[in-house]
Amino acid sequence: MQNKKIYRYTNVELLDQIKNGSSKTLVNQAQEELDKRDLSHLELNKLEEEYVKFKAYQEKRKNEPLTREEWFNFFFWSFLQPNSRWIKDNFSESEYKRFRTHGFDKKLRQVREAKIYGFIFWFIIATALIFFVLPKLGL
């Protein structure tokens, strides 16, 4: 919900902001916007149900592991660090930011692990190249 105007929030996002907002100003703005929408009692009950589902889904996503494809991307492209100077837009950086923004703690831990294994992998490949292949080529 970053860089999003309060009037563009969904009802569920407004309710989440009201219940969990860290800024008193933003909580008040969310409450005012929800009041402006003039929801009936039935709609408010439905909104509460949707909010419970939203929070359950959000919690489930926090604990999901990386997919195999994501893990291999971070493993093989481990040298592409977020905030690297020579690459401005890459998969690693955008995914890493998304995981951090949405609080996917398990995925962040697995990303760090995959990157460490990736660095080790590339180090072994480079070392093998230097010590075994280059001397045989006469370089």
Side-chain angles (χ1 to χ4, degrees), residues 1 4-10 13-15 17-18 21 23-37:
M1 290 186 280
K4 191 174 178 182
K5 302 286 185 196
I6 196 80
Y7 66 87
R8 291 188 171 262
Y9 283 25
T10 65
E13 290 172 332
L14 286 172
L15 190 58
Q17 190 60 245
I18 291 167
S23 164
K24 186 73 171 163
T25 306
L26 203 52
V27 169
N28 289 337
Q29 288 175 344
Q31 185 63 54
E32 288 173 14
E33 181 61 31
L34 192 61
D35 292 341
K36 282 182 195 176
R37 295 182 184 184

Side-chain angles (χ1 to χ4, degrees), residues 37-95:
R37 295 182 184 184
D38 197 28
L39 300 176
S40 71
H41 186 66
L42 183 62
E43 290 171 325
L44 286 173
N45 287 339
K46 186 176 180 184
L47 177 58
E48 282 289 337
E49 291 173 14
E50 290 173 2
Y51 176 73
V52 169
K53 289 177 187 175
F54 168 76
K55 290 309 270 182
Y57 180 71
Q58 198 176 45
E59 195 61 36
K60 178 183 170 240
R61 296 257 335 248
K62 277 185 181 182
N63 296 318
E64 283 183 352
L66 285 174
T67 64
R68 183 174 290 137
E69 293 81 15
E70 289 171 333
W71 197 91
F72 281 120
N73 277 323
F74 284 109
F75 176 81
F76 285 114
W77 306 117
S78 58
F79 55 89
L80 298 177
Q81 290 292 319
N83 302 323
S84 64
R85 290 190 176 137
W86 64 88
I87 295 177
K88 298 296 181 205
D89 184 32
N90 64 59
F91 170 81
S92 294
E93 183 177 357
S94 62
E95 285 298 292

Side-chain angles (χ1 to χ4, degrees), residues 66 70-82 92 96 107-125:
L66 285 174
E70 289 171 333
W71 197 91
F72 281 120
N73 277 323
F74 284 109
F75 176 81
F76 285 114
W77 306 117
S78 58
F79 55 89
L80 298 177
Q81 290 292 319
S92 294
Y96 189 83
K107 287 188 177 195
L108 284 173
R109 281 193 308 275
Q110 289 179 325
V111 164
R112 289 184 200 109
E113 182 180 295
K115 284 182 174 263
I116 289 169
Y117 291 144
F119 282 122
I120 293 168
F121 170 78
W122 288 113
F123 179 76
I124 290 170
I125 295 294

